[in-house]
Amino acid sequence: MKKYPFVLVMLMLLGCGEDAATPKPRAFLSLNYPEAKYEPTNLNCPYNFEINTLAEIKASRNNIPCWIDLEYNELNGTIFITYQPINNNLDSLLADAQKLPLQHTIKADAIEGDVYTNKVQDVYGMFYEVSGDAASQAQFYLTDSVNHFVTASAYFRAKPNYDSIIPAADYLKKDMKHIIETFRWED
């Protein structure tokens, strides 16, 4: 019986070493992307804009003329841009473009829309910011209200987890706003 207290004391002394696990504080992913540098596009389409040099222009997987994908490999994301000529269907194009952000209301915490108007360049539209675990964090549409209609959506090749993708989502939102501000119709 005298052996048991000795063994118990030895176990306690060995178990109280400096190797004990300590809980780590919560940390958030810190991603730093290069400062955006922009250059004009020459798309051979009825529109052009300035693009971030980090993005690569690719033809859309749908092989529809003037539908392009802006691939951001470093961010694991893409801005999908579609173009449609207006043929007495502006109302339906607007309805579809305004309905698209609403498809994310199930997962979104908030959807905010900002009107964009550039009378000098004849460019009008809406920019939507989506926060939360939605599939797309930003979308916009642009039109001249007579001949041309463009939509764009940002998506990531990852399961939507807003806390994890927020740095990349903010980067793409900034680029999308730059696209809108430098957008020109080529007639």
Side-chain angles (χ1 to χ4, degrees):
M1 271 207 149
K2 292 185 179 184
K3 288 184 183 178
Y4 292 117
F6 176 73
V7 173
L8 186 59
V9 169
M10 287 303 288
L11 285 174
M12 288 176 62
L13 289 174
L14 291 174
C16 294
E18 303 237 355
D19 295 335
T22 57
K24 304 287 185 211
R26 280 190 67 150
F28 294 97
L29 190 58
S30 175
L31 299 173
N32 296 315
Y33 299 111
E35 184 176 333
K37 294 177 185 161
Y38 298 98
E39 60 186 27
T41 57
N42 186 8
L43 300 172
N44 203 22
C45 290
Y47 64 89
N48 275 301
F49 52 85
E50 289 184 2
I51 184 175
N52 187 333
T53 57
L54 188 65
E56 182 181 347
I57 300 173
K58 293 190 173 184
S60 170
R61 294 178 189 113
N62 297 328
N63 290 322
I64 298 173
C66 296
W67 284 34
I68 60 170
D69 299 345
L70 304 180
E71 295 281 344
Y72 292 78
N73 292 322
E74 191 172 326
L75 282 73
N76 205 24
T78 304
I79 297 174
F80 298 96
I81 298 176
T82 66
Y83 168 79
Q84 294 187 44
I86 297 174
N87 295 312
N88 294 321
N89 61 344
L90 180 60
D91 289 341
S92 66
L93 291 171
L94 284 170
D96 287 345
Q98 292 167 352
K99 198 183 328 175
L100 189 60
L102 298 178
Q103 293 175 349
H104 299 287
T105 55
I106 294 170
K107 293 283 188 174
D109 294 334
I111 300 174
E112 294 182 27
D114 292 322
V115 175
Y116 179 78
T117 303
N118 183 336
K119 292 180 182 179
V120 173
Q121 297 298 327
D122 205 22
V123 179
Y124 310 93
M126 284 287 281
F127 178 77
Y128 296 96
E129 286 189 65
V130 182
S131 59
D133 291 339
S136 176
Q137 301 299 315
Q139 301 176 7
F140 69 76
Y141 69 83
L142 299 172
T143 183
D144 65 354
S145 302
V146 179
N147 298 307
H148 309 290
F149 198 87
V150 168
T151 62
S153 301
Y155 286 90
F156 292 95
R157 292 179 296 281
K159 183 179 178 184
N161 182 346
Y162 189 63
D163 290 341
S164 296
I165 65 169
I166 196 165
D170 287 346
Y171 192 90
L172 287 188
K173 285 178 192 178
K174 182 180 173 191
D175 270 11
M176 290 177 83
K177 288 179 181 178
H178 189 84
I179 289 170
I180 292 170
E181 291 167 359
T182 60
F183 201 90
R184 306 290 180 263
W185 300 114
E186 304 289 333
D187 287 322

